[in-house]
Coordinates of all heavy atoms in Angstrom, one line a residue:
M1 N -77.9 7.5 -15.6 CA -76.8 6.9 -14.9 C -76.4 5.6 -15.6 O -75.2 5.2 -15.5 CB -77.2 6.6 -13.5 CG -76.7 7.6 -12.4 SD -75.3 8.6 -12.8 CE -74.5 8.7 -11.3
S2 N -77.3 4.9 -16.2 CA -77.0 3.6 -16.8 C -76.0 3.9 -18.0 O -75.1 3.0 -18.2 CB -78.2 2.9 -17.3 OG -78.9 3.7 -18.3
D3 N -76.1 5.0 -18.6 CA -75.1 5.4 -19.7 C -73.7 5.5 -19.1 O -72.8 5.0 -19.6 CB -75.5 6.7 -20.3 CG -76.6 6.5 -21.4 OD1 -77.0 5.3 -21.6 OD2 -77.1 7.5 -21.9
L4 N -73.7 6.2 -17.9 CA -72.4 6.3 -17.3 C -71.8 5.0 -16.9 O -70.6 4.7 -17.1 CB -72.5 7.2 -16.0 CG -71.3 7.4 -15.2 CD1 -70.1 8.0 -16.0 CD2 -71.5 8.3 -14.0
N5 N -72.6 4.1 -16.4 CA -72.1 2.8 -16.0 C -71.6 2.0 -17.2 O -70.6 1.4 -17.2 CB -73.2 1.9 -15.3 CG -73.4 2.4 -13.8 OD1 -72.4 2.8 -13.2 ND2 -74.6 2.3 -13.3
A6 N -72.3 2.1 -18.4 CA -71.9 1.4 -19.6 C -70.6 2.0 -20.1 O -69.7 1.2 -20.5 CB -73.0 1.5 -20.6
V7 N -70.5 3.3 -20.2 CA -69.2 3.8 -20.7 C -68.0 3.6 -19.8 O -66.9 3.4 -20.2 CB -69.4 5.3 -21.1 CG1 -70.3 5.4 -22.3 CG2 -69.7 6.2 -20.0
R8 N -68.4 3.6 -18.5 CA -67.3 3.4 -17.4 C -66.8 2.0 -17.6 O -65.6 1.8 -17.6 CB -67.8 3.6 -16.0 CG -66.8 3.5 -15.0 CD -67.4 3.4 -13.6 NE -67.9 4.6 -13.1 CZ -69.1 4.8 -12.7 NH1 -70.0 3.9 -12.8 NH2 -69.5 6.0 -12.2
R9 N -67.7 1.0 -17.8 CA -67.3 -0.4 -17.9 C -66.4 -0.5 -19.2 O -65.3 -1.2 -19.1 CB -68.5 -1.3 -18.1 CG -68.8 -2.1 -16.9 CD -69.8 -3.3 -17.2 NE -71.0 -2.9 -17.9 CZ -72.0 -2.4 -17.4 NH1 -72.1 -2.2 -16.1 NH2 -73.1 -2.0 -18.2
A10 N -66.8 0.1 -20.3 CA -66.0 0.0 -21.5 C -64.6 0.6 -21.3 O -63.6 0.1 -21.8 CB -66.7 0.6 -22.7
A11 N -64.6 1.8 -20.7 CA -63.3 2.5 -20.5 C -62.4 1.7 -19.5 O -61.2 1.6 -19.7 CB -63.6 3.9 -19.9
R12 N -63.0 1.1 -18.5 CA -62.2 0.3 -17.6 C -61.5 -0.9 -18.3 O -60.4 -1.3 -17.9 CB -63.0 -0.1 -16.4 CG -63.3 1.1 -15.4 CD -64.0 0.7 -14.2 NE -63.9 1.9 -13.3 CZ -64.7 2.0 -12.2 NH1 -65.4 0.9 -11.8 NH2 -64.6 3.1 -11.5
K13 N -62.3 -1.5 -19.2 CA -61.7 -2.6 -20.0 C -60.5 -2.1 -20.8 O -59.5 -2.7 -20.8 CB -62.8 -3.1 -20.9 CG -62.6 -4.6 -21.3 CD -63.7 -5.0 -22.3 CE -64.7 -5.9 -21.7 NZ -65.6 -6.5 -22.7
A14 N -60.7 -1.0 -21.4 CA -59.6 -0.4 -22.2 C -58.4 0.0 -21.3 O -57.2 -0.3 -21.6 CB -60.0 0.8 -23.0
L15 N -58.7 0.6 -20.1 CA -57.6 1.0 -19.2 C -56.9 -0.2 -18.6 O -55.7 -0.2 -18.4 CB -58.2 1.9 -18.1 CG -58.6 3.3 -18.5 CD1 -59.5 3.9 -17.4 CD2 -57.3 4.1 -18.8
L16 N -57.6 -1.3 -18.4 CA -57.0 -2.5 -17.9 C -56.0 -3.0 -18.9 O -54.8 -3.4 -18.5 CB -58.0 -3.6 -17.6 CG -57.5 -4.9 -17.0 CD1 -56.9 -4.7 -15.7 CD2 -58.7 -5.9 -16.9
A17 N -56.3 -3.0 -20.2 CA -55.4 -3.4 -21.2 C -54.2 -2.5 -21.3 O -53.1 -2.9 -21.6 CB -56.2 -3.5 -22.6
E18 N -54.4 -1.2 -21.2 CA -53.3 -0.2 -21.4 C -52.4 -0.1 -20.1 O -51.2 0.1 -20.2 CB -53.9 1.2 -21.6 CG -54.7 1.3 -23.0 CD -53.7 1.7 -24.1 OE1 -52.5 1.6 -23.9 OE2 -54.3 2.1 -25.1
T19 N -53.0 -0.1 -18.9 CA -52.3 0.2 -17.7 C -52.1 -0.9 -16.7 O -51.4 -0.8 -15.8 CB -53.0 1.4 -17.0 OG1 -54.2 0.9 -16.4 CG2 -53.3 2.6 -17.9
G20 N -52.9 -2.0 -17.0 CA -52.9 -3.1 -16.0 C -53.8 -2.9 -14.8 O -53.8 -3.8 -14.0
T21 N -54.5 -1.8 -14.8 CA -55.4 -1.6 -13.7 C -56.7 -0.9 -14.3 O -56.6 -0.1 -15.2 CB -54.8 -0.7 -12.5 OG1 -55.8 -0.5 -11.6 CG2 -54.2 0.5 -13.0
E22 N -57.8 -1.3 -13.7 CA -59.1 -0.8 -14.3 C -59.3 0.7 -14.0 O -60.0 1.4 -14.8 CB -60.3 -1.6 -13.7 CG -60.4 -3.0 -14.3 CD -61.8 -3.6 -13.9 OE1 -62.4 -3.1 -12.9 OE2 -62.2 -4.5 -14.6
A23 N -58.9 1.1 -12.8 CA -59.2 2.5 -12.4 C -57.9 3.1 -11.9 O -57.7 3.3 -10.7 CB -60.2 2.5 -11.3
P24 N -57.0 3.5 -12.8 CA -55.7 4.1 -12.4 C -56.0 5.5 -11.9 O -57.0 6.1 -12.2 CB -54.9 4.2 -13.7 CG -55.9 4.3 -14.8 CD -57.1 3.4 -14.3
K25 N -55.0 6.0 -11.0 CA -55.1 7.3 -10.6 C -54.6 8.2 -11.8 O -53.7 7.8 -12.5 CB -54.2 7.5 -9.4 CG -54.4 8.9 -8.7 CD -53.8 8.9 -7.3 CE -54.1 10.3 -6.7 NZ -53.2 10.7 -5.7
W26 N -55.2 9.4 -11.9 CA -54.9 10.3 -13.1 C -54.1 11.5 -12.6 O -54.2 11.8 -11.4 CB -56.1 10.7 -13.8 CG -56.8 9.6 -14.6 CD1 -57.6 8.6 -14.0 CD2 -56.7 9.3 -15.9 NE1 -57.9 7.7 -15.0 CE2 -57.4 8.1 -16.2 CE3 -56.1 10.0 -17.0 CZ2 -57.6 7.6 -17.5 CZ3 -56.2 9.5 -18.3 CH2 -56.9 8.3 -18.5
R27 N -53.4 12.1 -13.5 CA -52.6 13.3 -13.2 C -52.6 14.2 -14.4 O -52.9 13.7 -15.6 CB -51.2 12.9 -12.8 CG -50.4 12.3 -14.0 CD -49.0 11.9 -13.7 NE -48.3 11.3 -14.9 CZ -47.2 11.7 -15.3 NH1 -46.5 12.6 -14.7 NH2 -46.6 11.1 -16.4
Q28 N -52.2 15.5 -14.2 CA -52.0 16.3 -15.3 C -50.5 16.1 -15.8 O -49.7 15.9 -15.0 CB -52.2 17.8 -15.0 CG -53.7 18.1 -14.8 CD -53.9 19.6 -14.6 OE1 -53.8 20.1 -13.5 NE2 -54.2 20.3 -15.7
V29 N -50.3 16.2 -17.1 CA -49.1 15.8 -17.7 C -48.6 16.9 -18.7 O -49.4 17.6 -19.3 CB -49.3 14.5 -18.6 CG1 -48.0 14.1 -19.3 CG2 -49.7 13.4 -17.7
H30 N -47.3 17.1 -18.7 CA -46.6 17.9 -19.7 C -46.1 17.0 -20.8 O -45.3 16.1 -20.6 CB -45.5 18.7 -19.1 CG -45.8 19.7 -18.1 ND1 -45.7 21.1 -18.3 CD2 -46.3 19.6 -16.8 CE1 -46.2 21.7 -17.3 NE2 -46.5 20.8 -16.3
T31 N -46.6 17.2 -22.1 CA -46.0 16.4 -23.2 C -44.9 17.1 -23.9 O -44.2 16.6 -24.7 CB -47.1 16.1 -24.2 OG1 -47.6 17.3 -24.8 CG2 -48.3 15.3 -23.6
D32 N -44.7 18.4 -23.5 CA -43.7 19.2 -24.1 C -43.1 20.2 -23.1 O -43.6 20.2 -21.9 CB -44.4 20.1 -25.2 CG -43.4 20.4 -26.3 OD1 -42.2 20.3 -26.1 OD2 -43.9 20.8 -27.4
V33 N -42.1 20.9 -23.4 CA -41.6 21.9 -22.4 C -42.6 23.1 -22.5 O -42.6 23.9 -23.5 CB -40.2 22.4 -22.9 CG1 -39.7 23.4 -21.8 CG2 -39.2 21.2 -22.9
C34 N -43.4 23.2 -21.5 CA -44.4 24.2 -21.4 C -44.7 24.5 -20.0 O -44.5 23.7 -19.1 CB -45.7 23.8 -22.2 SG -46.2 22.1 -21.9
E35 N -45.2 25.8 -19.8 CA -45.4 26.2 -18.4 C -46.5 25.4 -17.7 O -46.5 25.1 -16.6 CB -45.6 27.7 -18.3 CG -44.4 28.5 -18.1 CD -44.7 30.0 -18.0 OE1 -45.7 30.3 -17.3 OE2 -43.9 30.7 -18.6
E36 N -47.6 25.2 -18.5 CA -48.8 24.6 -18.0 C -49.0 23.2 -18.6 O -48.6 23.0 -19.7 CB -50.1 25.5 -18.4 CG -50.0 26.9 -18.0 CD -50.5 27.2 -16.6 OE1 -50.8 26.2 -15.9 OE2 -50.7 28.3 -16.3
P37 N -49.5 22.3 -17.8 CA -49.7 21.0 -18.3 C -50.7 21.0 -19.5 O -51.7 21.7 -19.5 CB -50.4 20.2 -17.1 CG -50.8 21.2 -16.1 CD -50.0 22.5 -16.4
D38 N -50.4 20.2 -20.5 CA -51.2 20.3 -21.8 C -51.9 18.9 -22.0 O -52.3 18.7 -23.1 CB -50.3 20.6 -22.9 CG -49.1 19.7 -23.1 OD1 -48.9 18.8 -22.3 OD2 -48.4 19.8 -24.2
A39 N -51.9 18.0 -21.0 CA -52.5 16.7 -21.2 C -52.8 16.1 -19.9 O -52.4 16.7 -18.8 CB -51.5 15.8 -22.0
I40 N -53.5 15.0 -19.9 CA -53.8 14.2 -18.7 C -53.4 12.8 -19.0 O -53.4 12.4 -20.2 CB -55.3 14.3 -18.2 CG1 -56.2 13.7 -19.2 CG2 -55.6 15.7 -17.9 CD1 -57.6 13.5 -18.7
G41 N -53.1 12.0 -18.0 CA -52.7 10.6 -18.2 C -52.7 9.9 -16.9 O -52.7 10.5 -15.8
P42 N -52.7 8.6 -16.9 CA -52.6 7.8 -15.7 C -51.3 8.1 -15.0 O -50.3 8.3 -15.7 CB -52.7 6.3 -16.2 CG -53.3 6.4 -17.5 CD -52.8 7.7 -18.1
V43 N -51.3 8.1 -13.7 CA -50.1 8.3 -12.9 C -49.1 7.2 -13.3 O -49.4 6.0 -13.4 CB -50.4 8.2 -11.4 CG1 -49.1 8.1 -10.6 CG2 -51.2 9.4 -11.0
C44 N -47.8 7.6 -13.5 CA -46.8 6.6 -13.9 C -46.2 6.0 -12.6 O -45.9 6.7 -11.6 CB -45.7 7.3 -14.6 SG -44.3 6.2 -15.2
T45 N -46.2 4.6 -12.6 CA -45.7 3.9 -11.4 C -44.3 3.4 -11.6 O -43.8 2.6 -10.8 CB -46.6 2.8 -11.1 OG1 -46.8 1.9 -12.2 CG2 -48.0 3.3 -10.6
D46 N -43.6 3.8 -12.7 CA -42.3 3.3 -13.0 C -41.3 3.8 -11.9 O -41.4 5.0 -11.5 CB -41.8 3.8 -14.4 CG -40.5 3.2 -14.8 OD1 -39.4 3.8 -14.4 OD2 -40.5 2.2 -15.5
E47 N -40.4 2.9 -11.4 CA -39.5 3.2 -10.3 C -38.6 4.4 -10.7 O -38.2 5.2 -9.8 CB -38.6 2.0 -10.0 CG -39.2 1.0 -9.1 CD -38.3 -0.2 -8.9 OE1 -37.1 0.0 -9.1 OE2 -38.8 -1.2 -8.4
G48 N -38.2 4.5 -11.9 CA -37.3 5.6 -12.3 C -38.0 6.9 -12.6 O -37.4 7.9 -12.9
H49 N -39.3 7.0 -12.4 CA -40.1 8.2 -12.7 C -40.4 8.9 -11.4 O -41.2 8.4 -10.6 CB -41.3 7.9 -13.5 CG -42.0 9.1 -14.0 ND1 -42.6 9.1 -15.2 CD2 -42.2 10.3 -13.5 CE1 -43.2 10.4 -15.4 NE2 -42.9 11.1 -14.4
D50 N -39.7 10.0 -11.1 CA -40.0 10.8 -9.9 C -41.5 11.2 -9.8 O -42.0 11.8 -10.8 CB -39.1 12.0 -9.9 CG -39.2 12.8 -8.6 OD1 -40.2 12.7 -7.9 OD2 -38.2 13.6 -8.3
A51 N -42.1 10.9 -8.7 CA -43.6 11.2 -8.6 C -43.9 12.7 -8.8 O -45.0 13.0 -9.1 CB -44.1 10.7 -7.3
D52 N -42.9 13.5 -8.5 CA -43.1 15.0 -8.6 C -42.9 15.5 -10.1 O -43.1 16.6 -10.3 CB -42.2 15.7 -7.7 CG -42.6 15.5 -6.2 OD1 -43.8 15.2 -6.0 OD2 -41.7 15.5 -5.4
D53 N -42.4 14.6 -10.9 CA -42.1 15.0 -12.3 C -43.4 14.8 -13.2 O -43.8 13.7 -13.4 CB -41.0 14.2 -12.8 CG -40.5 14.6 -14.2 OD1 -41.3 15.3 -14.9 OD2 -39.4 14.1 -14.6
P54 N -43.9 16.0 -13.6 CA -45.2 15.9 -14.4 C -45.0 15.6 -15.9 O -46.0 15.7 -16.6 CB -45.8 17.3 -14.2 CG -44.6 18.2 -14.1 CD -43.5 17.4 -13.4
S55 N -43.8 15.3 -16.3 CA -43.6 15.1 -17.7 C -44.0 13.7 -18.1 O -44.1 12.8 -17.3 CB -42.1 15.3 -18.1 OG -41.7 16.6 -17.8
A56 N -44.3 13.5 -19.4 CA -44.6 12.2 -20.0 C -43.4 11.7 -20.7 O -42.8 12.3 -21.5 CB -45.8 12.3 -21.0
Y57 N -43.0 10.4 -20.3 CA -41.8 9.8 -20.9 C -42.2 8.4 -21.5 O -43.4 8.0 -21.3 CB -40.7 9.6 -19.8 CG -40.3 10.8 -19.1 CD1 -40.6 11.1 -17.8 CD2 -39.5 11.7 -19.8 CE1 -40.2 12.2 -17.2 CE2 -39.0 12.9 -19.2 CZ -39.4 13.1 -17.9 OH -38.9 14.3 -17.2
G58 N -41.3 7.7 -22.0 CA -41.6 6.4 -22.6 C -42.1 5.4 -21.5 O -42.7 4.5 -21.8
C59 N -41.7 5.7 -20.2 CA -42.1 4.8 -19.2 C -43.6 4.9 -18.8 O -44.2 4.1 -18.1 CB -41.3 5.0 -17.9 SG -41.3 6.7 -17.3
C60 N -44.2 6.0 -19.2 CA -45.5 6.4 -18.7 C -46.6 5.6 -19.4 O -46.6 5.4 -20.7 CB -45.8 7.9 -18.9 SG -44.6 8.9 -18.0
P61 N -47.7 5.2 -18.7 CA -48.8 4.5 -19.3 C -49.6 5.3 -20.2 O -49.8 6.5 -20.0 CB -49.6 4.0 -18.1 CG -49.3 4.9 -17.0 CD -47.9 5.4 -17.3
E62 N -50.2 4.7 -21.2 CA -51.2 5.4 -22.1 C -52.5 5.2 -21.4 O -52.7 4.2 -20.6 CB -51.1 4.7 -23.5 CG -49.9 5.1 -24.3 CD -49.8 6.5 -24.7 OE1 -50.9 7.1 -25.0 OE2 -48.7 7.1 -24.9
P63 N -53.5 5.9 -21.7 CA -53.5 7.0 -22.7 C -53.1 8.3 -22.1 O -53.6 8.7 -21.1 CB -55.0 7.0 -23.2 CG -55.7 6.6 -22.0 CD -54.9 5.6 -21.2
V64 N -52.2 9.0 -22.8 CA -52.0 10.4 -22.5 C -52.8 11.2 -23.4 O -52.8 11.1 -24.7 CB -50.5 10.8 -22.7 CG1 -50.3 12.3 -22.6 CG2 -49.6 10.0 -21.7
I65 N -53.8 12.0 -22.9 CA -54.8 12.7 -23.6 C -54.5 14.2 -23.6 O -54.5 14.8 -22.6 CB -56.2 12.4 -23.0 CG1 -56.4 10.8 -23.0 CG2 -57.3 13.1 -23.8 CD1 -57.5 10.4 -22.1
E66 N -54.3 14.7 -24.8 CA -54.1 16.2 -24.9 C -55.3 17.0 -24.4 O -56.4 16.7 -24.9 CB -53.7 16.6 -26.3 CG -52.2 16.3 -26.6 CD -51.8 16.8 -27.9 OE1 -52.1 18.0 -28.2 OE2 -51.1 16.1 -28.6
V67 N -55.1 17.9 -23.5 CA -56.2 18.8 -23.1 C -55.6 20.2 -23.1 O -54.7 20.5 -22.4 CB -56.6 18.5 -21.7 CG1 -57.7 19.4 -21.2 CG2 -57.1 17.0 -21.5
E68 N -56.1 21.0 -24.1 CA -55.6 22.3 -24.3 C -55.6 23.3 -23.1 O -54.7 24.0 -22.8 CB -56.3 23.0 -25.5 CG -55.3 23.7 -26.4 CD -56.0 24.1 -27.7 OE1 -56.2 23.2 -28.6 OE2 -56.4 25.2 -27.8
S69 N -56.7 23.2 -22.3 CA -56.9 24.1 -21.2 C -56.5 23.4 -19.9 O -57.0 22.3 -19.6 CB -58.4 24.5 -21.1 OG -58.7 24.9 -19.8
P70 N -55.5 24.0 -19.2 CA -55.1 23.4 -17.9 C -56.2 23.3 -16.9 O -56.2 22.3 -16.1 CB -53.9 24.3 -17.4 CG -53.5 25.0 -18.7 CD -54.7 25.1 -19.6
A71 N -57.1 24.3 -17.0 CA -58.2 24.3 -16.0 C -59.2 23.1 -16.3 O -59.6 22.4 -15.4 CB -59.0 25.6 -16.1
I72 N -59.4 22.8 -17.5 CA -60.3 21.7 -17.9 C -59.5 20.4 -17.6 O -60.1 19.4 -17.1 CB -60.7 21.8 -19.3 CG1 -61.6 23.0 -19.5 CG2 -61.4 20.5 -19.8 CD1 -62.1 23.3 -20.9
G73 N -58.2 20.3 -17.9 CA -57.4 19.2 -17.5 C -57.5 18.9 -16.0 O -57.7 17.7 -15.6
A74 N -57.4 19.9 -15.2 CA -57.5 19.7 -13.8 C -58.8 19.2 -13.4 O -59.0 18.3 -12.5 CB -57.2 21.0 -13.0
Y75 N -59.9 19.7 -14.0 CA -61.2 19.2 -13.8 C -61.4 17.8 -14.1 O -62.0 17.0 -13.4 CB -62.2 20.1 -14.6 CG -63.7 19.8 -14.4 CD1 -64.2 19.6 -13.2 CD2 -64.5 19.8 -15.5 CE1 -65.6 19.3 -13.1 CE2 -65.8 19.5 -15.4 CZ -66.4 19.3 -14.2 OH -67.7 19.0 -14.1
L76 N -60.9 17.4 -15.3 CA -61.0 16.0 -15.8 C -60.3 15.1 -14.8 O -60.8 14.0 -14.5 CB -60.5 15.8 -17.2 CG -61.4 16.5 -18.3 CD1 -60.7 16.5 -19.6 CD2 -62.7 15.8 -18.4
V77 N -59.1 15.4 -14.4 CA -58.3 14.6 -13.5 C -59.1 14.4 -12.2 O -59.2 13.3 -11.6 CB -56.9 15.2 -13.2 CG1 -56.3 14.6 -12.0 CG2 -56.1 15.1 -14.4
A78 N -59.7 15.6 -11.7 CA -60.5 15.5 -10.4 C -61.7 14.5 -10.6 O -62.0 13.7 -9.7 CB -60.9 16.9 -10.0
L79 N -62.4 14.7 -11.7 CA -63.5 13.8 -12.0 C -63.1 12.4 -12.1 O -63.7 11.5 -11.5 CB -64.2 14.2 -13.3 CG -65.1 15.4 -13.4 CD1 -65.6 15.7 -14.8 CD2 -66.3 15.1 -12.5
L80 N -62.1 12.1 -12.8 CA -61.6 10.7 -13.0 C -61.2 10.1 -11.7 O -61.5 8.9 -11.4 CB -60.5 10.6 -14.1 CG -61.0 10.8 -15.5 CD1 -59.8 11.2 -16.4 CD2 -61.7 9.6 -16.0
N81 N -60.5 10.9 -10.9 CA -60.0 10.3 -9.6 C -61.1 10.1 -8.6 O -61.2 9.2 -7.9 CB -58.9 11.2 -9.0 CG -57.6 11.0 -9.8 OD1 -57.3 10.0 -10.4 ND2 -56.7 12.0 -9.7
A82 N -62.1 11.1 -8.7 CA -63.3 10.9 -7.8 C -64.1 9.7 -8.2 O -64.8 9.1 -7.4 CB -64.2 12.2 -7.9
D83 N -64.1 9.3 -9.5 CA -64.9 8.2 -10.0 C -64.2 6.8 -10.0 O -64.7 5.8 -10.4 CB -65.3 8.5 -11.5 CG -66.4 7.6 -12.0 OD1 -67.5 7.6 -11.3 OD2 -66.2 6.9 -13.0
R84 N -63.0 6.8 -9.4 CA -62.2 5.6 -9.4 C -62.9 4.4 -8.7 O -62.9 3.3 -9.0 CB -60.8 5.7 -8.8 CG -59.9 6.6 -9.7 CD -58.6 6.9 -9.0 NE -57.8 5.6 -8.9 CZ -56.9 5.4 -7.9 NH1 -56.7 6.3 -7.0 NH2 -56.3 4.3 -7.9
E85 N -63.7 4.8 -7.6 CA -64.4 3.9 -6.8 C -65.9 3.8 -7.3 O -66.7 3.0 -6.7 CB -64.4 4.2 -5.3 CG -63.0 4.5 -4.8 CD -62.1 3.2 -4.8 OE1 -62.7 2.1 -4.6 OE2 -60.9 3.3 -5.0
G86 N -66.2 4.6 -8.3 CA -67.6 4.7 -8.7 C -68.1 3.5 -9.4 O -67.4 2.8 -10.1
G87 N -69.4 3.3 -9.3 CA -70.2 2.4 -10.1 C -70.0 0.9 -9.7 O -69.0 0.5 -9.1
A88 N -71.0 0.2 -10.1 CA -70.9 -1.3 -9.9 C -70.2 -1.9 -11.1 O -70.4 -1.4 -12.2 CB -72.3 -1.9 -9.8
A89 N -69.4 -2.9 -10.9 CA -68.6 -3.5 -11.9 C -69.4 -4.3 -12.9 O -70.5 -4.3 -13.1 CB -67.5 -4.4 -11.3
Ligands
ZN101 ZN1 -43.2 7.6 -16.5

Protein backbone atom coordinates (compact mmCIF):
# COMPACT_ATOMS: atom_id res chain seq x y z
CA MET A 1 0.00 0.00 0.00
CA SER A 2 2.85 2.39 0.65
CA ASP A 3 3.73 2.16 -3.04
CA LEU A 4 0.18 3.15 -3.92
CA ASN A 5 0.34 6.11 -1.55
CA ALA A 6 3.66 7.25 -3.04
CA VAL A 7 2.53 7.07 -6.67
CA ARG A 8 -0.84 8.61 -5.79
CA ARG A 9 0.92 11.57 -4.18
CA ALA A 10 3.14 12.05 -7.24
CA ALA A 11 0.17 11.76 -9.62
CA ARG A 12 -1.89 14.22 -7.57
CA LYS A 13 0.93 16.75 -7.77
CA ALA A 14 0.98 16.38 -11.56
CA LEU A 15 -2.83 16.54 -11.77
CA LEU A 16 -2.91 19.68 -9.65
CA ALA A 17 -0.54 21.34 -12.13
CA GLU A 18 -2.53 20.12 -15.15
CA THR A 19 -6.13 20.48 -13.97
CA GLY A 20 -6.05 22.76 -10.92
CA THR A 21 -7.36 19.97 -8.71
CA GLU A 22 -5.52 17.06 -7.10
CA ALA A 23 -8.24 14.48 -7.64
CA PRO A 24 -10.37 15.38 -10.68
CA LYS A 25 -13.31 13.24 -11.68
CA TRP A 26 -12.48 11.09 -14.72
CA ARG A 27 -14.49 10.15 -17.80
CA GLN A 28 -14.12 8.13 -20.97
CA VAL A 29 -13.25 10.33 -23.94
CA HIS A 30 -13.49 10.21 -27.72
CA THR A 31 -10.38 11.75 -29.31
CA ASP A 32 -11.68 11.00 -32.78
CA VAL A 33 -14.94 10.23 -34.54
CA CYS A 34 -15.34 6.68 -33.33
CA GLU A 35 -18.16 4.57 -31.93
CA GLU A 36 -16.39 3.62 -28.72
CA PRO A 37 -14.39 5.90 -26.44
CA ASP A 38 -10.67 5.55 -27.16
CA ALA A 39 -9.23 7.47 -24.23
CA ILE A 40 -9.78 8.64 -20.66
CA GLY A 41 -9.35 12.10 -19.23
CA PRO A 42 -10.41 14.40 -16.42
CA VAL A 43 -14.00 15.67 -16.69
CA CYS A 44 -14.06 19.00 -18.52
CA THR A 45 -15.57 21.80 -16.45
CA ASP A 46 -15.59 24.39 -19.24
CA GLU A 47 -18.95 26.22 -19.43
CA GLY A 48 -19.13 25.72 -23.19
CA HIS A 49 -18.60 21.97 -22.97
CA ASP A 50 -21.86 20.04 -22.68
CA ALA A 51 -21.46 17.49 -19.85
CA ASP A 52 -23.02 14.82 -22.07
CA ASP A 53 -20.51 15.38 -24.87
CA PRO A 54 -17.76 12.74 -24.55
CA SER A 55 -15.40 14.34 -27.08
CA ALA A 56 -12.05 15.92 -26.26
CA TYR A 57 -11.69 19.56 -27.35
CA GLY A 58 -9.20 22.33 -26.75
CA CYS A 59 -11.13 23.29 -23.61
CA CYS A 60 -10.56 19.90 -21.99
CA PRO A 61 -7.95 19.38 -19.30
CA GLU A 62 -4.95 17.14 -19.81
CA PRO A 63 -3.97 14.41 -19.48
CA VAL A 64 -6.11 12.71 -22.10
CA ILE A 65 -4.73 9.17 -22.07
CA GLU A 66 -5.35 6.86 -25.02
CA VAL A 67 -6.82 3.51 -24.02
CA GLU A 68 -7.40 1.14 -26.88
CA SER A 69 -9.97 -1.04 -25.10
CA PRO A 70 -13.20 0.72 -24.06
CA ALA A 71 -13.70 -1.95 -21.37
CA ILE A 72 -10.31 -1.23 -19.83
CA GLY A 73 -10.97 2.51 -20.18
CA ALA A 74 -14.20 2.10 -18.23
CA TYR A 75 -12.35 0.10 -15.58
CA LEU A 76 -9.61 2.73 -15.23
CA VAL A 77 -12.20 5.53 -14.95
CA ALA A 78 -14.05 3.55 -12.27
CA LEU A 79 -10.80 2.92 -10.36
CA LEU A 80 -9.65 6.53 -10.59
CA ASN A 81 -13.04 7.86 -9.51
CA ALA A 82 -13.23 5.37 -6.63
CA ASP A 83 -9.75 6.46 -5.51
CA ARG A 84 -10.48 10.20 -5.53
CA GLU A 85 -11.01 10.17 -1.76
CA GLY A 86 -8.36 7.52 -1.23
CA GLY A 87 -5.19 7.71 0.79
CA ALA A 88 -3.69 10.08 3.26
CA ALA A 89 -2.28 13.26 1.72
ZN1 LIG B 1 -13.87 20.43 -22.82
